[in-house]
Structures are given as structure tokens and as C-alpha cells.
PDB file of all heavy atoms in Angstrom:
ATOM      1  N   PRO A 111     127.383 179.156 150.284  1.00 96.00           N
ATOM      2  CA  PRO A 111     126.427 179.958 151.035  1.00 96.00           C
ATOM      3  C   PRO A 111     125.378 180.671 150.195  1.00 96.00           C
ATOM      4  O   PRO A 111     124.276 180.873 150.542  1.00 96.00           O
ATOM      5  CB  PRO A 111     127.329 181.019 151.748  1.00 96.00           C
ATOM      6  CG  PRO A 111     128.745 180.274 151.878  1.00 96.00           C
ATOM      7  CD  PRO A 111     128.766 179.462 150.591  1.00 96.00           C
ATOM      8  N   THR A 112     125.845 181.030 148.977  1.00 96.00           N
ATOM      9  CA  THR A 112     124.928 181.533 147.917  1.00 96.00           C
ATOM     10  C   THR A 112     125.147 180.640 146.720  1.00 96.00           C
ATOM     11  O   THR A 112     126.250 180.085 146.543  1.00 96.00           O
ATOM     12  CB  THR A 112     125.177 183.047 147.625  1.00 96.00           C
ATOM     13  OG1 THR A 112     126.569 183.222 147.273  1.00 96.00           O
ATOM     14  CG2 THR A 112     124.800 183.925 148.836  1.00 96.00           C
ATOM     15  N   GLU A 113     124.228 180.623 145.768  1.00 97.00           N
ATOM     16  CA  GLU A 113     124.247 179.605 144.754  1.00 97.00           C
ATOM     17  C   GLU A 113     124.882 180.005 143.465  1.00 97.00           C
ATOM     18  O   GLU A 113     125.137 179.173 142.579  1.00 97.00           O
ATOM     19  CB  GLU A 113     122.789 179.182 144.384  1.00 97.00           C
ATOM     20  CG  GLU A 113     122.060 178.451 145.431  1.00 97.00           C
ATOM     21  CD  GLU A 113     120.873 177.757 144.922  1.00 97.00           C
ATOM     22  OE1 GLU A 113     119.774 178.448 144.786  1.00 97.00           O
ATOM     23  OE2 GLU A 113     120.878 176.546 144.554  1.00 97.00           O
ATOM     24  N   GLU A 114     125.252 181.345 143.262  1.00 97.00           N
ATOM     25  CA  GLU A 114     125.487 181.803 141.935  1.00 97.00           C
ATOM     26  C   GLU A 114     126.756 181.135 141.321  1.00 97.00           C
ATOM     27  O   GLU A 114     126.906 181.087 140.062  1.00 97.00           O
ATOM     28  CB  GLU A 114     125.724 183.320 141.960  1.00 97.00           C
ATOM     29  CG  GLU A 114     126.964 183.886 142.558  1.00 97.00           C
ATOM     30  CD  GLU A 114     126.895 183.872 144.123  1.00 97.00           C
ATOM     31  OE1 GLU A 114     125.808 183.682 144.674  1.00 97.00           O
ATOM     32  OE2 GLU A 114     127.958 184.095 144.747  1.00 97.00           O
ATOM     33  N   HIS A 115     127.751 180.732 142.123  1.00 98.00           N
ATOM     34  CA  HIS A 115     128.894 180.021 141.516  1.00 98.00           C
ATOM     35  C   HIS A 115     128.809 178.576 141.249  1.00 98.00           C
ATOM     36  O   HIS A 115     129.605 177.988 140.635  1.00 98.00           O
ATOM     37  CB  HIS A 115     130.121 180.297 142.501  1.00 98.00           C
ATOM     38  CG  HIS A 115     130.803 181.518 142.243  1.00 98.00           C
ATOM     39  ND1 HIS A 115     130.235 182.777 142.745  1.00 98.00           N
ATOM     40  CD2 HIS A 115     131.990 181.961 141.658  1.00 98.00           C
ATOM     41  CE1 HIS A 115     131.062 183.742 142.359  1.00 98.00           C
ATOM     42  NE2 HIS A 115     132.139 183.239 141.705  1.00 98.00           N
ATOM     43  N   TYR A 116     127.625 178.023 141.811  1.00 98.00           N
ATOM     44  CA  TYR A 116     127.303 176.624 141.455  1.00 98.00           C
ATOM     45  C   TYR A 116     126.510 176.517 140.227  1.00 98.00           C
ATOM     46  O   TYR A 116     126.545 175.575 139.399  1.00 98.00           O
ATOM     47  CB  TYR A 116     126.595 175.980 142.645  1.00 98.00           C
ATOM     48  CG  TYR A 116     126.116 174.583 142.377  1.00 98.00           C
ATOM     49  CD1 TYR A 116     126.993 173.450 142.616  1.00 98.00           C
ATOM     50  CD2 TYR A 116     124.797 174.298 141.970  1.00 98.00           C
ATOM     51  CE1 TYR A 116     126.601 172.150 142.429  1.00 98.00           C
ATOM     52  CE2 TYR A 116     124.420 172.977 141.639  1.00 98.00           C
ATOM     53  CZ  TYR A 116     125.292 171.905 141.960  1.00 98.00           C
ATOM     54  OH  TYR A 116     124.876 170.591 141.729  1.00 98.00           O
ATOM     55  N   LEU A 117     125.546 177.491 140.031  1.00 98.00           N
ATOM     56  CA  LEU A 117     124.541 177.439 138.931  1.00 98.00           C
ATOM     57  C   LEU A 117     125.201 177.282 137.610  1.00 98.00           C
ATOM     58  O   LEU A 117     124.593 176.612 136.710  1.00 98.00           O
ATOM     59  CB  LEU A 117     123.713 178.665 138.997  1.00 98.00           C
ATOM     60  CG  LEU A 117     122.755 178.656 140.228  1.00 98.00           C
ATOM     61  CD1 LEU A 117     121.922 179.989 140.271  1.00 98.00           C
ATOM     62  CD2 LEU A 117     121.989 177.445 140.483  1.00 98.00           C
ATOM     63  N   PRO A 118     126.340 177.882 137.254  1.00 98.00           N
ATOM     64  CA  PRO A 118     126.939 177.641 135.860  1.00 98.00           C
ATOM     65  C   PRO A 118     127.240 176.229 135.572  1.00 98.00           C
ATOM     66  O   PRO A 118     127.281 175.782 134.410  1.00 98.00           O
ATOM     67  CB  PRO A 118     128.250 178.447 135.981  1.00 98.00           C
ATOM     68  CG  PRO A 118     127.887 179.574 136.924  1.00 98.00           C
ATOM     69  CD  PRO A 118     127.095 178.955 137.985  1.00 98.00           C
ATOM     70  N   LEU A 119     127.474 175.310 136.598  1.00 98.00           N
ATOM     71  CA  LEU A 119     127.561 173.965 136.413  1.00 98.00           C
ATOM     72  C   LEU A 119     126.347 173.358 135.722  1.00 98.00           C
ATOM     73  O   LEU A 119     126.410 172.541 134.826  1.00 98.00           O
ATOM     74  CB  LEU A 119     127.899 173.187 137.699  1.00 98.00           C
ATOM     75  CG  LEU A 119     127.824 171.655 137.657  1.00 98.00           C
ATOM     76  CD1 LEU A 119     128.818 171.045 136.687  1.00 98.00           C
ATOM     77  CD2 LEU A 119     128.069 171.055 139.097  1.00 98.00           C
ATOM     78  N   LEU A 120     125.202 173.793 136.194  1.00 98.00           N
ATOM     79  CA  LEU A 120     123.901 173.360 135.625  1.00 98.00           C
ATOM     80  C   LEU A 120     123.703 173.931 134.211  1.00 98.00           C
ATOM     81  O   LEU A 120     123.066 173.237 133.408  1.00 98.00           O
ATOM     82  CB  LEU A 120     122.771 173.682 136.552  1.00 98.00           C
ATOM     83  CG  LEU A 120     122.805 172.849 137.905  1.00 98.00           C
ATOM     84  CD1 LEU A 120     121.839 173.441 138.924  1.00 98.00           C
ATOM     85  CD2 LEU A 120     122.527 171.397 137.619  1.00 98.00           C
ATOM     86  N   VAL A 121     124.178 175.082 134.006  1.00 98.00           N
ATOM     87  CA  VAL A 121     124.061 175.658 132.607  1.00 98.00           C
ATOM     88  C   VAL A 121     124.890 174.702 131.691  1.00 98.00           C
ATOM     89  O   VAL A 121     124.355 174.367 130.630  1.00 98.00           O
ATOM     90  CB  VAL A 121     124.639 177.102 132.615  1.00 98.00           C
ATOM     91  CG1 VAL A 121     124.624 177.569 131.114  1.00 98.00           C
ATOM     92  CG2 VAL A 121     123.759 177.980 133.418  1.00 98.00           C
ATOM     93  N   ALA A 122     126.056 174.360 132.071  1.00 98.00           N
ATOM     94  CA  ALA A 122     126.937 173.549 131.261  1.00 98.00           C
ATOM     95  C   ALA A 122     126.286 172.135 131.088  1.00 98.00           C
ATOM     96  O   ALA A 122     126.313 171.584 129.944  1.00 98.00           O
ATOM     97  CB  ALA A 122     128.333 173.464 131.874  1.00 98.00           C
ATOM     98  N   ALA A 123     125.784 171.604 132.187  1.00 98.00           N
ATOM     99  CA  ALA A 123     125.127 170.252 132.064  1.00 98.00           C
ATOM    100  C   ALA A 123     123.913 170.351 131.189  1.00 98.00           C
ATOM    101  O   ALA A 123     123.578 169.475 130.461  1.00 98.00           O
ATOM    102  CB  ALA A 123     124.829 169.757 133.481  1.00 98.00           C
ATOM    103  N   GLY A 124     123.152 171.463 131.355  1.00 98.00           N
ATOM    104  CA  GLY A 124     121.878 171.599 130.519  1.00 98.00           C
ATOM    105  C   GLY A 124     122.219 171.702 129.039  1.00 98.00           C
ATOM    106  O   GLY A 124     121.456 171.196 128.237  1.00 98.00           O
ATOM    107  N   ALA A 125     123.379 172.260 128.720  1.00 98.00           N
ATOM    108  CA  ALA A 125     123.789 172.437 127.323  1.00 98.00           C
ATOM    109  C   ALA A 125     124.426 171.112 126.764  1.00 98.00           C
ATOM    110  O   ALA A 125     124.643 171.057 125.569  1.00 98.00           O
ATOM    111  CB  ALA A 125     124.846 173.531 127.148  1.00 98.00           C
ATOM    112  N   SER A 126     124.571 170.115 127.636  1.00 98.00           N
ATOM    113  CA  SER A 126     125.095 168.815 127.128  1.00 98.00           C
ATOM    114  C   SER A 126     124.040 168.047 126.492  1.00 98.00           C
ATOM    115  O   SER A 126     122.806 168.199 126.761  1.00 98.00           O
ATOM    116  CB  SER A 126     125.772 168.062 128.290  1.00 98.00           C
ATOM    117  OG  SER A 126     124.801 167.584 129.182  1.00 98.00           O
ATOM    118  N   PHE A 127     124.493 167.003 125.661  1.00 96.00           N
ATOM    119  CA  PHE A 127     123.567 166.145 124.971  1.00 96.00           C
ATOM    120  C   PHE A 127     123.696 164.784 125.769  1.00 96.00           C
ATOM    121  O   PHE A 127     124.728 164.454 126.338  1.00 96.00           O
ATOM    122  CB  PHE A 127     123.895 165.973 123.539  1.00 96.00           C
ATOM    123  CG  PHE A 127     123.867 167.282 122.784  1.00 96.00           C
ATOM    124  CD1 PHE A 127     124.919 167.585 121.929  1.00 96.00           C
ATOM    125  CD2 PHE A 127     122.817 168.127 122.920  1.00 96.00           C
ATOM    126  CE1 PHE A 127     124.921 168.748 121.171  1.00 96.00           C
ATOM    127  CE2 PHE A 127     122.801 169.307 122.128  1.00 96.00           C
ATOM    128  CZ  PHE A 127     123.823 169.631 121.323  1.00 96.00           C
ATOM    129  N   GLY A 128     122.676 163.921 125.626  1.00 92.00           N
ATOM    130  CA  GLY A 128     122.576 162.706 126.282  1.00 92.00           C
ATOM    131  C   GLY A 128     123.740 161.759 125.805  1.00 92.00           C
ATOM    132  O   GLY A 128     124.147 160.866 126.534  1.00 92.00           O
ATOM    133  N   THR A 129     124.222 161.993 124.550  1.00 93.00           N
ATOM    134  CA  THR A 129     125.300 161.117 124.011  1.00 93.00           C
ATOM    135  C   THR A 129     126.701 161.598 124.395  1.00 93.00           C
ATOM    136  O   THR A 129     127.672 160.960 124.101  1.00 93.00           O
ATOM    137  CB  THR A 129     125.185 161.120 122.491  1.00 93.00           C
ATOM    138  OG1 THR A 129     125.164 162.410 122.005  1.00 93.00           O
ATOM    139  CG2 THR A 129     123.904 160.382 122.068  1.00 93.00           C
ATOM    140  N   ASP A 130     126.752 162.773 125.093  1.00 96.00           N
ATOM    141  CA  ASP A 130     128.048 163.276 125.402  1.00 96.00           C
ATOM    142  C   ASP A 130     128.777 162.484 126.499  1.00 96.00           C
ATOM    143  O   ASP A 130     128.180 162.143 127.478  1.00 96.00           O
ATOM    144  CB  ASP A 130     127.973 164.750 125.963  1.00 96.00           C
ATOM    145  CG  ASP A 130     127.669 165.781 124.896  1.00 96.00           C
ATOM    146  OD1 ASP A 130     127.949 165.484 123.741  1.00 96.00           O
ATOM    147  OD2 ASP A 130     127.105 166.837 125.222  1.00 96.00           O
ATOM    148  N   ALA A 131     130.036 162.218 126.270  1.00 95.00           N
ATOM    149  CA  ALA A 131     130.817 161.660 127.348  1.00 95.00           C
ATOM    150  C   ALA A 131     131.207 162.753 128.388  1.00 95.00           C
ATOM    151  O   ALA A 131     131.367 163.911 127.948  1.00 95.00           O
ATOM    152  CB  ALA A 131     132.085 161.032 126.848  1.00 95.00           C
ATOM    153  N   THR A 132     131.185 162.517 129.650  1.00 97.00           N
ATOM    154  CA  THR A 132     131.600 163.435 130.581  1.00 97.00           C
ATOM    155  C   THR A 132     133.067 163.254 131.023  1.00 97.00           C
ATOM    156  O   THR A 132     133.562 162.086 131.030  1.00 97.00           O
ATOM    157  CB  THR A 132     130.708 163.398 131.866  1.00 97.00           C
ATOM    158  OG1 THR A 132     130.849 162.123 132.491  1.00 97.00           O
ATOM    159  CG2 THR A 132     129.269 163.706 131.503  1.00 97.00           C
ATOM    160  N   ARG A 133     133.754 164.344 131.372  1.00 97.00           N
ATOM    161  CA  ARG A 133     135.103 164.216 131.683  1.00 97.00           C
ATOM    162  C   ARG A 133     135.382 165.180 132.852  1.00 97.00           C
ATOM    163  O   ARG A 133     135.136 166.398 132.735  1.00 97.00           O
ATOM    164  CB  ARG A 133     135.977 164.599 130.469  1.00 97.00           C
ATOM    165  CG  ARG A 133     137.481 164.775 130.698  1.00 97.00           C
ATOM    166  CD  ARG A 133     138.237 163.580 130.502  1.00 97.00           C
ATOM    167  NE  ARG A 133     139.617 163.538 131.016  1.00 97.00           N
ATOM    168  CZ  ARG A 133     140.546 163.024 130.405  1.00 97.00           C
ATOM    169  NH1 ARG A 133     140.411 162.318 129.347  1.00 97.00           N
ATOM    170  NH2 ARG A 133     141.787 163.064 130.936  1.00 97.00           N
ATOM    171  N   LEU A 134     136.060 164.644 133.855  1.00 97.00           N
ATOM    172  CA  LEU A 134     136.546 165.569 134.942  1.00 97.00           C
ATOM    173  C   LEU A 134     137.854 166.197 134.436  1.00 97.00           C
ATOM    174  O   LEU A 134     138.778 165.561 133.825  1.00 97.00           O
ATOM    175  CB  LEU A 134     136.963 164.724 136.171  1.00 97.00           C
ATOM    176  CG  LEU A 134     137.723 165.407 137.296  1.00 97.00           C
ATOM    177  CD1 LEU A 134     136.955 166.479 137.992  1.00 97.00           C
ATOM    178  CD2 LEU A 134     138.292 164.337 138.303  1.00 97.00           C
ATOM    179  N   VAL A 135     137.975 167.531 134.584  1.00 98.00           N
ATOM    180  CA  VAL A 135     139.133 168.287 134.273  1.00 98.00           C
ATOM    181  C   VAL A 135     139.752 168.733 135.658  1.00 98.00           C
ATOM    182  O   VAL A 135     139.177 169.598 136.341  1.00 98.00           O
ATOM    183  CB  VAL A 135     138.864 169.500 133.471  1.00 98.00           C
ATOM    184  CG1 VAL A 135     140.135 170.155 133.054  1.00 98.00           C
ATOM    185  CG2 VAL A 135     138.171 169.060 132.167  1.00 98.00           C
ATOM    186  N   GLU A 136     140.739 168.036 136.095  1.00 97.00           N
ATOM    187  CA  GLU A 136     141.252 168.267 137.428  1.00 97.00           C
ATOM    188  C   GLU A 136     141.887 169.592 137.674  1.00 97.00           C
ATOM    189  O   GLU A 136     142.643 170.099 136.844  1.00 97.00           O
ATOM    190  CB  GLU A 136     142.308 167.132 137.822  1.00 97.00           C
ATOM    191  CG  GLU A 136     141.576 165.754 137.921  1.00 97.00           C
ATOM    192  CD  GLU A 136     142.502 164.736 138.541  1.00 97.00           C
ATOM    193  OE1 GLU A 136     143.558 165.118 139.139  1.00 97.00           O
ATOM    194  OE2 GLU A 136     142.270 163.495 138.349  1.00 97.00           O
ATOM    195  N   GLY A 137     141.523 170.216 138.789  1.00 97.00           N
ATOM    196  CA  GLY A 137     142.092 171.514 139.117  1.00 97.00           C
ATOM    197  C   GLY A 137     142.672 171.592 140.502  1.00 97.00           C
ATOM    198  O   GLY A 137     143.321 172.594 140.855  1.00 97.00           O
ATOM    199  N   GLY A 138     142.421 170.627 141.304  1.00 96.00           N
ATOM    200  CA  GLY A 138     142.901 170.596 142.755  1.00 96.00           C
ATOM    201  C   GLY A 138     142.165 171.522 143.627  1.00 96.00           C
ATOM    202  O   GLY A 138     141.144 172.127 143.237  1.00 96.00           O
ATOM    203  N   MET A 139     142.643 171.650 144.822  1.00 94.00           N
ATOM    204  CA  MET A 139     141.984 172.500 145.828  1.00 94.00           C
ATOM    205  C   MET A 139     142.958 173.677 146.129  1.00 94.00           C
ATOM    206  O   MET A 139     144.120 173.512 146.495  1.00 94.00           O
ATOM    207  CB  MET A 139     141.728 171.691 147.100  1.00 94.00           C
ATOM    208  CG  MET A 139     140.940 172.421 148.180  1.00 94.00           C
ATOM    209  SD  MET A 139     139.155 172.648 147.722  1.00 94.00           S
ATOM    210  CE  MET A 139     138.529 170.924 147.793  1.00 94.00           C
ATOM    211  N   THR A 140     142.455 174.929 145.975  1.00 91.00           N
ATOM    212  CA  THR A 140     143.293 176.060 146.259  1.00 91.00           C
ATOM    213  C   THR A 140     142.800 176.808 147.530  1.00 91.00           C
ATOM    214  O   THR A 140     141.602 176.714 147.879  1.00 91.00           O
ATOM    215  CB  THR A 140     143.294 177.079 145.109  1.00 91.00           C
ATOM    216  OG1 THR A 140     141.844 177.494 144.851  1.00 91.00           O
ATOM    217  CG2 THR A 140     143.758 176.429 143.812  1.00 91.00           C
ATOM    218  N   TYR A 141     143.708 177.378 148.284  1.00 87.00           N
ATOM    219  CA  TYR A 141     143.330 178.104 149.478  1.00 87.00           C
ATOM    220  C   TYR A 141     142.663 177.298 150.441  1.00 87.00           C
ATOM    221  O   TYR A 141     141.895 177.735 151.382  1.00 87.00           O
ATOM    222  CB  TYR A 141     142.540 179.356 149.188  1.00 87.00           C
ATOM    223  CG  TYR A 141     143.223 180.359 148.230  1.00 87.00           C
ATOM    224  CD1 TYR A 141     142.926 180.343 146.849  1.00 87.00           C
ATOM    225  CD2 TYR A 141     144.179 181.218 148.661  1.00 87.00           C
ATOM    226  CE1 TYR A 141     143.611 181.221 145.980  1.00 87.00           C
ATOM    227  CE2 TYR A 141     144.850 182.098 147.756  1.00 87.00           C
ATOM    228  CZ  TYR A 141     144.515 182.064 146.434  1.00 87.00           C
ATOM    229  OH  TYR A 141     145.138 182.905 145.585  1.00 87.00           O
TER     230      TYR A 141
END
């Protein structure tokens, strides 16, 4: 509903390099 908890994903993606492999770190669904 508001963006502030999504935006850190873009910070992390922005700090990545084009040669970086991406990896899902599973956390599941809570509540």
C-alpha cells in the first residue's frame, strides 16, 4: 500500500554488478 518496504530491493539491485549471479534466499510466507 506504501512503497517504503519494497524500495530497499531496488537499492540492493542497484548496488549489484552486471556480472553478479542472483540468488533467491528462501524465507517462506509468515502470517
Side-chain angles (χ1 to χ4, degrees):
T112 55
E113 291 194 279
E114 74 283 348
H115 277 74
Y116 178 84
L117 297 179
L119 169 61
L120 291 168
V121 174
S126 70
F127 303 132
T129 55
D130 286 338
T132 62
R133 169 91 191 216
L134 168 69
V135 183
E136 293 191 14
M139 188 72 68
T140 60
Y141 302 98

